[in-house]
Amino acid sequence: ALSSDGHASVPTARWLWKSCATLVGGVLPWNVQAVNTHPDVLAWSPDTSVITVHLPGLWQLSFGFFSRRRPVIQVFVNGEPVIKSQATMQSTPLKEFPDLGERRKVTMCTQHSAGNVTGLTGSEILSLPAGGTRLAVTVSGVEGPERIEGFLQLQKL
């Protein structure tokens, strides 16, 4: 496929979870598709939990989940867990950043007048198999009236 400037576009898509509601087992139903350059490669239906990738190979998966408390996120490929975030017992989450070979910890503030402006974010490279890959995400560790939203993005490398 060609973009508006005539260059080949890279398959990229981003989905949003805005409902704060989960399905059985904490599975997220993706409510909104913000962008999808190749719907034939990255298949999705509104308010469903599975995103199907019809092109094998290397993909960059990025995600972010925004709430006052740090959730536990799991990413599944064809029903098997491949990524799991770890909950922290600390009241203020920490994030590590590599800096010239050292690891620095940065404290993220959890209170802001505009709501949840920081969150749990991540990026991983996945080597997806041939034959159609089903991706799904679960969330746990944030119960009750806690407001939590998130996004998932895939980009072919």
Side-chain angles (χ1 to χ4, degrees):
L2 298 179
S3 62
S4 59
D5 62 3
H7 291 93
S9 64
V10 174
T12 302
R14 185 178 321 111
W15 299 273
L16 308 177
W17 176 52
K18 299 181 74 64
S19 69
C20 303
T22 60
L23 304 174
V24 174
V27 177
L28 303 185
W30 299 103
N31 311 120
V32 176
Q33 182 170 260
V35 65
N36 190 341
T37 62
H38 291 73
D40 57 324
V41 173
L42 297 159
W44 166 84
S45 295
D47 297 316
T48 58
S49 61
V50 175
I51 296 161
T52 305
V53 182
H54 294 288
L55 187 61
L58 296 177
W59 288 83
Q60 182 172 17
L61 176 129
S62 301
F63 60 86
F65 293 90
F66 303 89
S67 70
R68 284 191 15 217
R69 290 180 285 175
R70 187 176 191 144
V72 174
I73 304 298
Q74 276 193 281
V75 178
F76 293 81
V77 170
N78 294 335
E80 299 178 40
V82 295
I83 298 171
K84 182 178 182 181
S85 71
Q86 296 298 316
T88 178
M89 296 304 289
Q90 300 165 330
S91 60
T92 304
L94 295 177
K95 192 164 190 173
E96 292 186 0
F97 293 92
D99 182 30
L100 300 174
E102 298 178 25
R103 296 186 77 80
R104 307 225 185 247
K105 290 189 177 184
V106 176
T107 302
M108 295 181 345
C109 300
T110 58
Q111 299 289 329
H112 191 276
S113 61
N116 300 322
V117 297
T118 62
L120 171 68
T121 59
S123 180
E124 285 292 329
I125 306 300
L126 301 178
S127 179
L128 298 182
T133 300
R134 297 176 335 277
L135 291 175
V137 177
T138 63
V139 62
S140 61
V142 183
E143 287 82 25
E146 180 77 27
R147 179 125 180 105
I148 179 171
E149 296 179 331
F151 76 89
L152 180 74
Q153 178 170 303
L154 285 169
Q155 183 172 30
K156 182 76 171 107
L157 299 181

